[in-house]
Amino acid sequence: MTNSLISISRLYSQMIAGSLHHTPEQVVKKMGAMQAQDYMQAVWAIGLRSPATKLADIERAIADRKIILTWTLRGTLHFIPAEDVKWMLQLTAPRLASQTKRRMAELGLDDQTLERCRKIIVEALKGGNKWIVRPYFS
């Protein structure tokens, strides 16, 4: 196999070349998960693989809960298919929790504080409430 053929094969298997106008959720499902360091990089990774897709299409897929942006894997942002959230969290949560234990102690975050935060978040999100996220700096 030549280097050129290897390169083309990799681009095709990563859905970068030969894309078939997939929807954002189809891209994420086919890739399994899309990793990035920040939101716009994650969105760009999907857009690269679905050239007809606009930012609004990706954000609609997020709002419609077809794809989920989470820190499920490795502590970095990942888009994952909505139907895979539960099993991925069940698989990775114990490892991530053990990795963060020391950092939580440094920050003074004990189990009681985390439980209080969990209750506040659950209450705030009941009934499908949507929060408007504003940047720290305008």
Side-chain angles (χ1 to χ4, degrees), residues 5-19 49:
L5 188 55
I6 292 169
S7 298
I8 291 168
S9 296
R10 289 192 68 190
L11 291 172
Y12 183 78
S13 68
Q14 290 290 317
M15 297 178 65
I16 296 170
S19 185
R49 290 161 174 86

Side-chain angles (χ1 to χ4, degrees), residues 105-116:
E106 290 172 0
L107 296 171
L109 297 172
D110 58 16
D111 289 340
Q112 290 174 316
T113 304
L114 294 175
E115 179 59 22
R116 186 170 148 244

Side-chain angles (χ1 to χ4, degrees), residues 39 56-68 130:
Y39 177 78
D57 300 324
I58 298 170
E59 291 184 333
R60 188 173 18 268
I62 296 166
D64 292 346
R65 298 180 182 158
K66 294 177 180 176
I67 58 176
I68 308 296
K130 293 184 179 180

Side-chain angles (χ1 to χ4, degrees), residues 15 19-34 46 49-50 53 61 66-67 80-83:
M15 297 178 65
S19 185
L20 300 172
H21 304 291
H22 297 289
T23 64
E25 54 270 22
Q26 289 170 329
V27 169
V28 173
K29 186 173 181 105
K30 181 168 169 107
M31 297 299 291
M34 304 289 297
I46 294 170
R49 290 161 174 86
S50 54
T53 298
K66 294 177 180 176
I67 58 176
I80 57 175
E83 63 268 20

